[in-house]
């Protein structure tokens, strides 16, 4: 994808930090297309005829990262589909999509260095990275609460602990890599306060970068 034609923002943060929640707010107010790597993988897992279903299922329960080829391909396809058929956004936001120029929020990706490098090379360069963070205690509480109704196979204490470990060992180096390239807006945004308060901080951090 031509960097001039698409704007890609990576939204990173630990399991349950609130990535999906903040992305929903941004979609409403900025006309972004939200692509959650986890959601795309969950959809692929249950897609009839997928050769990756069992492998994805296993990785998600174990909190392991699915091999990057699969995830990068899913994201690339979703971006292409979106550009061919832009989301319906309010008229004041539609200029963001004119002429196939799209704005994407890529949520929960990249979470391993090889994915970051592959996406930069094969798909496009991200404009910047939004990193939201809170304590494991807060994230655990949120995920256990959500687990009562989410039906997600990884919203249980055992899987959550594994997700935390993978996040610290494998995904934080990606955040540090983007920090070293000065791509992360603010050092991090504290996602412990109520949703609206976090969202105010998110807006304040990204508005200057969006110009
Ligand atoms: N909530 C949110 N914000 C709140 C706030 N400020 N105050 C109070 N409550 C708040 O939020 C989680 C819960 O907290 C919700 O109930 C929400 O209402 C509440 P949510 O916005 O869903 O948080 P999010 O950060 O999106 O949490 P999620 O569980 O989706 O994060 P993960 O990163 O763990 O999950 P993801 O779906 O991205 O990935 C799942 C798995 O897929 C990975 O573990 C991995 O196995 C696999 N994967 C890959 O292999 N490769 C990839 O590239 C991506 C994923
Ligand atoms: Mg999510």
């Amino acid at each position: 994808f031509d960097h001039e034609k698409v704007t890609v923002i990576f939204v990173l943060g630990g399991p349950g930090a609130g990535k999906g929640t903040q992305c929903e707010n941004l979609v409403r107010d900025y006309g972004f297309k939200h692509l959650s790597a986890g959601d795309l993988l969950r959809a692929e897992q249950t897609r009839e005829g997928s050769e990756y279903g069992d492998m994805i299922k296993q990785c998600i329960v174990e909190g392991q990262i699915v091999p990057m080829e699969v995830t990068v391909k899913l994201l690339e396809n979703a971006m292409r589909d979106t550009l061919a058929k832009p989301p319906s956004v309010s008229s004041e936001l539609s200029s963001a999509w004119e002429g196939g120029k799209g704005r994407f929020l890529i949520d929960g990706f990249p979470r391993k260095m090889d994915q970051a490098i592959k996406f930069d090379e094969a798909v496009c360069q991200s404009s910047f990275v939004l990193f939201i963070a809170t304590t494991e205690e807060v994230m655990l509480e949120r995920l256990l609460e959500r687990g009562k109704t989410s039906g997600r196979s990884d919203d249980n204490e055992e899987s959550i602990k594994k997700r935390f470990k993978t996040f610290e060992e494998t995904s934080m180096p990606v955040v540090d890599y983007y920090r070293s390239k000065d791509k992360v807006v603010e050092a991090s945004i504290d996602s412990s306060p109520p949703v609206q308060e976090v969202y105010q901080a998110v807006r304040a951090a990204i508005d200057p970068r969006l110009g």
Side-chain angles (χ1 to χ4, degrees), residues 72-91:
V72 170
K73 197 81 221 151
L74 290 172
L75 284 167
E76 207 177 337
N77 290 343
M79 285 174 71
R80 216 172 290 287
D81 288 350
T82 307
L83 288 173
K85 215 169 140 248
S88 56
V89 289
S90 70
S91 56

Side-chain angles (χ1 to χ4, degrees), residues 14-21 37-38 41-42 59-60 63-66 71 108-109 111 115 142-143 146 152 154 163 191 193-195 198:
K19 301 181 292 295
T21 304
L41 287 166
R42 282 182 285 274
C59 283
I60 287 180
Q64 297 288 327
I65 311 296
V66 171
T71 316
F109 174 98
R111 54 214 289 158
Q115 293 178 329
R142 287 180 184 170
L143 292 175
R146 188 182 67 185
R152 269 178 61 164
D154 58 349
R163 290 157 70 191
S191 69
V195 173
V198 178

Side-chain angles (χ1 to χ4, degrees), residues 37-50:
D39 287 349
L40 290 170
L41 287 166
R42 282 182 285 274
E44 176 66 18
Q45 182 203 306
T46 52
R47 186 175 65 83
E48 206 174 317
S50 169

